[in-house]
Amino acid sequence: MFWYHEEVERLERKEVLPKGEKLRVLFYGSSSIRLWPNLEEDFSELDIINQGFGGSTLAACCWFFKRLVPQYKPDIIVFYGGDNDLGDGRHPEEVFIFFKEIMGLIKEFCGDIPVGFISVKPSFNREYLLNSIDYTNKIIGEEITDRYPNCQMIDVYTEMYAINKVSGELFESDGLHMTEVGYDIWRTAVKEQFLNRFISESFPIDKTPKI
């Protein structure tokens, strides 16, 4: 996985700031995470760390996990992967195996913290993979329900698929990377399906004005 090394080394050099009063949420995964515009502003009530790296597969996220995640001591992790694995010809079952591996890494190095897995998105560029994407989301979602009470599948697939059928406004010209309209769906889904649940249950946000 040498083609990732330059970007991984850049992320490794990112300063690890002392933990403040805000909850620390680490976003991890492929370019859909790395290119998220206004990520910190979208979740301004939280301390956001963006550790996405372009073109990464879920396999690569597992491989580089120990170099890019534990040192930040996150309270919560949100990650996206599997899209590029399927695009590279891997089967849904292989993505499922890597999902279980990264969940094991999170538990080993970060503890039993809340984890949000953003479902594999549908896109024009990978329309030929829709059946595989749908099946990947299905088997990972079932695994989360059965085995990971601290994890939530964040469903972006359903709304994006519905909009894709009538509009091309979710994607850039490459048919793969999202516009701000696409990220609006992601932001709302992360908040409503995941953060609102886990923060309100276990990690209340301190809304006291910071001086």
Side-chain angles (χ1 to χ4, degrees), residues 20-27 39-49 75-78 187 190-191 194-196 198-200 203-207 210:
E21 296 181 9
K22 294 182 179 180
L23 291 173
R24 178 171 291 179
V25 182
L26 188 143
F27 282 73
L39 181 61
E40 293 185 1
E41 290 82 0
D42 284 347
F43 303 95
S44 59
E45 71 275 24
L46 303 167
D47 182 6
I48 299 298
I49 302 167
D75 297 304
I76 297 171
I77 289 176
V78 177
R187 181 186 66 252
V190 170
K191 287 186 176 182
F194 175 60
L195 291 177
N196 286 352
F198 282 97
I199 289 177
S200 62
F203 296 87
I205 297 176
D206 180 4
K207 296 185 178 180
K210 305 300 185 291

Side-chain angles (χ1 to χ4, degrees), residues 37-81:
N38 307 315
L39 181 61
E40 293 185 1
E41 290 82 0
D42 284 347
F43 303 95
S44 59
E45 71 275 24
L46 303 167
D47 182 6
I48 299 298
I49 302 167
N50 188 334
Q51 289 294 83
F53 55 110
S56 62
T57 58
L58 198 50
C61 288
C62 293
W63 183 262
F64 292 110
F65 182 89
K66 288 185 282 187
R67 292 173 59 178
L68 297 179
V69 176
Q71 66 269 35
Y72 290 96
K73 296 180 171 37
D75 297 304
I76 297 171
I77 289 176
V78 177
F79 74 97
Y80 179 74

Side-chain angles (χ1 to χ4, degrees), residues 30 32-33 58 78-84 86 95 99 116-123 132-141 144 151-161 178 185-186 189-190 193-194:
S30 67
S32 293
I33 295 294
L58 198 50
V78 177
F79 74 97
Y80 179 74
D83 197 341
N84 291 326
L86 295 173
V95 178
F99 168 81
F117 174 72
I118 299 174
S119 64
V120 182
K121 71 180 190 296
S123 63
S132 293
I133 292 170
D134 187 54
Y135 185 59
T136 299
N137 289 332
K138 177 179 182 295
I139 58 178
I140 290 178
I144 289 171
C151 183
Q152 174 72 44
M153 166 79 86
I154 302 167
D155 177 20
V156 298
Y157 180 96
T158 301
E159 185 172 357
M160 293 184 73
Y161 180 74
M178 292 185 295
I185 293 174
W186 280 39
V190 170
Q193 297 179 36
F194 175 60

Side-chain angles (χ1 to χ4, degrees), residues 104-117:
L105 288 166
I106 291 171
K107 183 172 183 179
E108 179 181 357
F109 291 97
C110 303
D112 289 317
I113 63 173
V115 178
F117 174 72

